[in-house]
Amino acid sequence: MHVWDLCLLAMCIQTSHCIFSSGVPEFCDQARNHCFSRIGCQMALNNFMIGCSDVIKGTVDTCTTDCKHALISLLSTEDRSGIAFVNCNCSDDEFCETQKRRVEICAKDVMEFMNNINDNAVVSCGLAMWICEADTSCLAALQYYIRHCAKLMNGESCSARCNNSLDILYRQTSSKMLQSCECDGTEDYNCQTLKDNTERLCFNRQPRVAYTVSGKSEVTSSGSNSFKTNSGILFLVVNISLLLYRDVFLLYRKAFLNPQW
């Protein structure tokens, strides 16, 4: 039994929310194709192949932050197809087994996060986006938001259609962390500006102001505590990313998943 199997089984025993896949694991090629046939799991698998590329190739001996986030996203797929891929049977294929062993360096940190995950957890906006993308319904709502809120980035306006799309997105179960996520500076767009514009233009509130206490970043707000407490939706850049994901995924799939994982 692999480390992932043991970690997921332990999570099943210790929590009321069991994500461990019962029964005989699927063969890895079947699990991969099953995941790839679902847009949410496909996005998560794409993030895994990109975010964990150094770990998969064995060029690092510790788990990278991107890889941890990608695995969390993969384990968050709505129909457990990502979990099936993590638990898949390599069918004695040495190449596949080697790659799975390399990724096991991430198991402890990832499963610790999964054990303590809740709707009130504050995570980076990049991770919150990946968790949303792994759920097909949340991804569709995110795409709808992107189409109708383009003017938020430059601070022009928040139209009725944009506000409606934001409300639809916030209703998705997998979007909970988007509502309180924090910009960590790794985004390739101005995350904080978009959050501030959303507060000001969509919610008619003063943007939250960041300050530092004892070396720790804190945030305060002069606005009300009404619906949609925080505006962490922030991903106009995804509009471009979504167009590229399928082609990029196929390249990484050929490089790393052949013949199995």
Side-chain angles (χ1 to χ4, degrees), residues 64-78:
T64 63
T65 299
D66 282 348
C67 190
K68 291 175 190 175
H69 289 179
L71 282 163
I72 290 167
S73 172
L74 195 57
L75 292 174
S76 302
T77 52
E78 75 270 27

Side-chain angles (χ1 to χ4, degrees), residues 68-227:
K68 291 175 190 175
H69 289 179
L71 282 163
I72 290 167
S73 172
L74 195 57
L75 292 174
S76 302
T77 52
E78 75 270 27
D79 62 354
R80 301 188 178 186
S81 50
I83 295 172
F85 177 75
V86 171
N87 282 332
C88 69
N89 183 353
C90 285
S91 189
D92 297 323
D93 182 89
E94 186 176 348
F95 182 69
C96 173
E97 292 281 2
T98 298
Q99 291 183 323
K100 289 194 74 172
R101 280 194 298 271
R102 288 170 178 167
V103 175
E104 283 175 354
I105 63 175
C106 300
K108 181 180 178 181
D109 289 342
V110 171
M111 296 316 300
E112 182 178 351
F113 178 90
M114 297 299 294
N115 276 324
N116 294 292
I117 195 171
N118 61 71
D119 291 344
N120 297 318
V122 178
V123 302
S124 71
C125 291
L127 174 56
M129 180 185 73
W130 282 7
I131 290 174
C132 176
E133 286 179 348
D135 182 292
T136 302
S137 297
C138 193
L139 174 60
L142 183 60
Q143 292 173 309
Y144 184 73
Y145 159 80
I146 291 166
R147 284 197 300 271
H148 297 296
C149 294
K151 292 184 178 180
L152 269 182
M153 180 61 82
N154 58 15
E156 286 185 29
S157 65
C158 178
S159 66
R161 184 171 289 183
C162 174
N163 224 325
N164 181 59
S165 67
L166 195 59
D167 185 63
I168 292 172
L169 181 57
Y170 276 0
R171 281 191 246 134
Q172 307 305 311
T173 302
S174 296
S175 76
K176 300 299 183 183
M177 292 185 185
L178 286 174
Q179 300 178 40
S180 59
C181 72
E182 292 186 348
C183 303
D184 61 8
T186 62
E187 304 86 8
D188 51 359
Y189 64 101
N190 196 326
C191 176
Q192 193 59 52
T193 294
L194 185 53
K195 291 183 71 173
D196 291 348
N197 289 344
T198 304
E199 287 283 343
R200 182 170 54 85
L201 298 173
C202 296
F203 304 150
N204 195 29
R205 295 199 298 254
Q206 288 299 313
R208 299 189 305 161
V209 179
Y211 63 94
T212 301
V213 177
S214 301
K216 189 175 183 180
S217 178
E218 301 287 347
V219 179
T220 185
S221 173
S222 59
S224 64
N225 293 320
S226 57
F227 179 61

